[in-house]
Amino acid sequence: MRNRILALAALGVALGTPIAASAQTGITVGRAPVVVDSGPTIAVEQRPAFRDYVVEQRVPAFSIPDRVVVGSTLPETGITYYDVPQRFGATTYRYTVVNGETVLVEPRSRRIVEVMN
């Protein structure tokens, strides 16, 4: 499904026409529209326990000069990403702490998909 969406998006860019995919949500952050996958994430009722887990793990916080917002991409080097434990739900995302915020990140693109704080 993801490959199909990426192929359609590439075709749309090549033709200069916008493409909307039903499996994605458009979110505007700042001035530019950002497309965020609506994949599995940590359930709302699990988030306090997840935040406690991150504190217990003493995950080091990384600093970046940019704001930490959904849709932004983290640097290629200098940040460590951690697996989300199964008890918080099945997710393909990783987590890290950036500028004091716990974030879920899509590991291939390093794109922030959710700010947990």
Side-chain angles (χ1 to χ4, degrees):
M1 178 77 175
R2 177 173 269 173
N3 290 339
R4 180 181 239 176
I5 291 170
L6 291 174
L8 289 172
L11 181 61
V13 169
L15 296 175
T17 59
I19 293 181
S22 63
Q24 296 180 342
T25 307
I27 297 176
T28 302
V29 177
R31 294 185 211 145
V34 177
V35 177
V36 178
D37 292 338
S38 57
T41 185
I42 297 172
V44 173
E45 61 273 2
Q46 291 273 349
R47 291 177 188 181
F50 179 71
R51 284 191 291 268
D52 291 344
Y53 169 81
V54 173
V55 170
E56 290 169 6
Q57 296 302 305
R58 298 182 187 188
V59 173
F62 298 94
S63 295
I64 60 172
D66 301 325
R67 287 182 15 170
V68 177
V69 294
V70 172
S72 64
T73 302
L74 295 176
E76 201 168 330
T77 59
I79 295 181
T80 304
Y81 303 97
Y82 305 90
D83 291 332
V84 175
Q86 186 68 32
R87 71 178 185 239
F88 296 111
T91 181
T92 58
Y93 301 132
R94 304 290 187 269
Y95 77 93
T96 193
V97 178
V98 180
N99 294 356
E101 304 280 349
T102 301
V103 296
L104 291 181
V105 179
E106 199 288 314
R108 289 184 187 168
S109 66
R110 302 172 325 279
R111 184 175 42 89
I112 297 173
V113 296
E114 188 166 350
V115 178
M116 300 299 290
N117 295 348

